[in-house]
Amino acid sequence: RRVSGSPQMKEEVELTPQLEAVVTAEVCAGSTLKIVAAAGSGKSTALRLYAERRSLRRTLYLTFTKAEAAAKDADYKSRGLHHVTVSTLHACAFSATHDLHSGDVADELQLDAALLARLTSSSSVDWPAARRDAVRRTIECFLASDALEPGAHHMEAVGVDRVGLLVAAGAVWHAILDSVDGIRLSHDAYLKLCQVLPGRRVAAFGDADLVLLDEGHDCTEAQIALAAAPARAWGLVIVYDFNQRIYGWRWAATEAYMAALPAVAVCKLSRSWRFGPALSLLASQLLSGHREQVSIQGNLARNT
């Protein structure tokens, strides 16, 4: 709600018990607070209030896209929240690894036959397009995971030479780690380097002692593991709702992975500020035939 103040209008937020539980929960260095926030439940307000109440903490707010980051940065600056830096996780990792790629980054790893032959001490004829693609997809799945080395679980169900493909994937990964000439980093690759290399991880997050990670349901395991590294100087607040996921095809982390992430508390924002109980009841009834255990709660103070 907005109330008049002197000399200008100021905004006051009347906190629900759910919002109060979020903004009063504390996280210290190395700990994590998880917030499950339904669509329209006041997630953005909750994160802003969380940052406002901790004006002495150097805060890094991580959104999912550059457009969202720009909009959020403008909003926070207009509110005087100058202790908050807004960015994307990829932008932080990009800067922390710039000396390794100088800005020359590919959307996906480029693995030609000659490169694979050199890395595996084999012949280029051993690497036709289909086999190169199998190695690339294995590497991409690994890069999205929180693992430290490529493994059989990163491979697709191919019945030919799984051992050889895994050896090749391992060779490519170690070439990335060792900055071998001929390897052009992908976006997922430089982010993975930040996850596994402590020095790069520290550089990615700078001097932040509080990190707010938005849209956790669309993050990969590698992104979550980077933000939630156990030996870290920042506290982490991560917000997610798997009903709003849109990037699952990019090996985004599963609900089970997120549930297993250690946390000091799990807070829920479940009531939508966009509609009232009549519409929420109707929506829940419509969804009940398609998904189990679905319930949408509308704001009791609103008429539909």
Side-chain angles (χ1 to χ4, degrees):
R1 65 179 178 177
R2 290 189 180 274
V3 297
S4 33
S6 179
Q8 58 188 348
M9 297 288 286
K10 76 173 183 177
E11 185 179 48
E12 289 185 356
V13 177
E14 185 176 350
L15 298 186
T16 65
Q18 287 187 333
L19 278 172
E20 186 70 36
V22 168
V23 300
T24 57
E26 293 292 346
V27 287
C28 58
S31 64
T32 300
L33 169 67
K34 297 191 289 189
I35 303 173
V36 183
S41 62
K43 174 257 296 178
S44 294
T45 299
L47 290 181
R48 173 172 58 78
L49 289 172
Y50 199 91
E52 282 181 352
R53 294 194 178 192
R54 293 158 180 84
S55 59
L56 298 181
R57 298 187 69 175
R58 297 180 297 272
T59 301
L60 177 61
Y61 190 118
L62 297 173
T63 66
F64 203 71
T65 68
K66 290 190 291 185
E68 291 171 352
K72 190 68 67 177
D73 184 57
D75 179 51
Y76 274 41
K77 279 185 170 56
S78 71
R79 297 175 183 274
L81 302 180
H82 300 296
H83 65 293
V84 181
T85 299
V86 181
S87 183
T88 66
L89 198 50
H90 274 88
C92 292
F94 181 89
S95 297
T97 56
H98 193 269
D99 60 302
L100 302 179
H101 52 71
S102 301
D104 182 20
V105 179
D107 287 335
E108 62 183 31
L109 286 174
Q110 308 297 314
L111 302 177
D112 59 40
L115 175 63
L116 284 172
R118 176 161 61 91
L119 295 179
T120 59
S121 301
S122 58
S123 170
S124 59
V125 299
D126 297 327
W127 297 102
R131 195 163 185 245
R132 294 197 306 271
D133 188 61
V135 174
R136 180 183 57 78
R137 289 188 61 79
T138 299
I139 285 289
E140 287 179 344
C141 185
F142 159 70
L143 293 178
S145 75
D146 66 354
L148 301 181
E149 294 284 342
H153 55 292
H154 300 127
M155 303 180 68
E156 295 180 335
V158 293
V160 181
D161 190 21
R162 288 175 60 86
V163 174
L165 293 178
L166 189 56
V167 169
V172 172
W173 169 235
H174 283 275
I176 292 173
L177 282 172
D178 297 335
S179 301
V180 170
D181 289 341
I183 296 287
R184 184 184 179 198
L185 294 183
S186 65
H187 294 284
D188 286 345
Y190 66 68
L191 192 145
K192 185 70 173 181
L193 289 173
C194 286
Q195 180 221 322
V196 303
L197 300 176
R200 302 289 176 174
R201 184 165 62 242
V202 171
F205 289 96
D207 61 357
D209 51 29
L210 175 62
V211 173
L212 308 178
L213 178 59
D214 205 350
E215 311 293 350
H217 47 266
D218 283 325
C219 290
T220 64
E221 291 181 7
Q223 292 171 316
I224 295 170
L226 168 57
R232 53 188 156 96
W234 57 88
L236 173 65
V237 178
I238 181 169
V239 181
Y240 61 97
D241 174 23
F242 282 92
N243 290 316
Q244 300 179 63
R245 164 176 282 187
I246 60 175
Y247 288 113
W249 55 275
R250 283 288 294 163
W251 294 296
T254 63
E255 293 185 58
Y257 184 87
M258 192 69 78
L261 183 69
V264 294
V266 180
C267 298
K268 293 187 177 181
L269 296 175
S270 59
R271 292 194 180 277
S272 175
W273 294 96
R274 297 175 182 171
F275 50 80
L279 185 57
S280 67
L281 176 60
L282 174 60
S284 294
Q285 290 174 337
L286 290 173
L287 286 172
S288 64
H290 301 277
R291 299 186 61 172
E292 296 181 359
Q293 298 180 336
V294 169
S295 176
I296 297 177
Q297 293 179 306
N299 180 6
L300 294 177
R302 294 197 58 177
N303 294 323
T304 301

